[in-house]
Amino acid sequence: MTISVKKVSLQRTTRDQIFLPAILEGLLTTARHFFKNTFTPGHGDVETIRYGEPGVDVKDYYPERFRGVHRLMHREDGSVRCVACMCCSTVCPARCIYIEAEDRRDDAEKAPRSFVIDELKCVVCGFCVEACPCDAIRMDTREHWIPTETRAEAVLGKVELMSRGEQSVAVQGGLGASYREQAPKADPRFTHDPR
Ligand code: SF4
Ligand code: SF4
């Protein structure tokens, strides 16, 4: 079988081919913004905010639902609320959540032995928070991720993520924080016998 290649010529004008007008247009735009920002009192109508550098308090500028650095929430006993269900790492489009599960000794659930997020890969979509079934991971720290010199500094482990967390009072499993003591079998969702 013969495979033919169709050639398509780009419809470039002489003006496009010499690039000079486009370069000059770009320089003029840059110069216009430079002089406007520099010499207009109050910076005119140019929309800028200060970047969240260490020591510069710009947190109040963030909207209430701003997605900041992640944190892991706690149970009443201070242990991690996460049950290592992997929903967040599965839904994460950037594949930047790495979880290693282990059994909880005091419970039938699992817990993360390690929980790592690479904040440099994160695209701040918030899907992990949406997917979590038990309010274990949040992005409501109102902390802007600061620039780092090495990738390793941007990789947060379980201890650091939990240091930003606090006890969650959200209803876990739909029956409250002490749902295991609340006769869960009385709830219709637990009465279905799959056998
Ligand atoms: S915010 Fe989005 S990209 Fe970042 S860890 Fe969560 S799911 Fe992944
Ligand atoms: S943070 Fe939430 S979604 Fe992610 S593994 Fe833990 S319980 Fe599951």
Side-chain angles (χ1 to χ4, degrees):
M1 189 178 81
T2 309
I3 298 176
S4 61
V5 177
K6 183 181 178 185
K7 288 187 180 176
V8 179
S9 61
L10 289 174
Q11 300 296 318
R12 279 194 179 139
T13 63
T14 310
R15 185 179 186 278
D16 293 335
Q17 285 175 326
I18 59 178
F19 295 111
L20 207 53
I23 291 172
L24 287 175
E25 274 175 29
L27 288 175
L28 276 173
T29 303
T30 305
R32 193 168 61 244
H33 284 295
F34 171 77
F35 286 111
K36 191 173 176 182
N37 289 359
T38 308
F39 298 110
T40 306
H43 299 294
D45 59 353
V46 179
E47 295 278 348
T48 56
I49 61 170
R50 296 184 72 182
Y51 195 70
E53 294 168 358
V56 179
D57 188 7
V58 294
K59 291 178 183 174
D60 286 345
Y61 210 97
Y62 294 151
E64 198 173 322
R65 296 175 67 187
F66 171 78
R67 296 186 200 122
V69 179
H70 298 81
R71 64 174 177 159
L72 285 177
M73 305 301 284
H74 307 171
R75 297 180 182 217
E76 285 172 326
D77 62 2
S79 63
V80 69
R81 194 173 164 88
C82 170
V83 294
C85 68
M86 310 289 177
C87 285
C88 56
S89 57
T90 303
V91 78
C92 176
R95 297 282 182 268
C96 63
I97 304 178
Y98 312 97
I99 301 167
E100 198 180 322
E102 67 177 357
D103 287 333
R104 283 183 72 94
R105 294 199 184 101
D106 59 340
D107 205 320
E109 290 176 339
K110 290 187 291 179
R113 184 203 308 269
S114 73
F115 195 114
V116 176
I117 300 182
D118 187 338
E119 296 284 347
L120 279 188
K121 284 187 184 171
C122 172
V123 294
V124 203
C125 63
F127 284 1
C128 50
V129 180
E130 294 290 329
C132 182
C134 56
D135 188 36
I137 186 168
R138 291 194 192 175
M139 298 177 78
D140 59 354
T141 49
R142 297 182 72 109
E143 275 184 50
H144 193 122
W145 183 250
I146 56 171
T148 52
E149 292 187 7
T150 65
R151 173 168 289 277
E153 291 175 63
V155 177
L156 301 183
K158 183 172 130 185
V159 173
E160 189 161 0
L161 289 165
M162 284 187 72
S163 72
R164 291 183 170 86
E166 60 191 27
Q167 185 187 327
S168 169
V169 293
V171 175
Q172 184 158 11
L175 293 172
S178 57
Y179 65 99
R180 290 200 185 284
E181 290 78 42
Q182 294 180 31
K185 286 198 170 15
D187 187 281
R189 289 172 301 168
F190 295 94
T191 54
H192 171 67
D193 187 350
R195 287 173 292 177

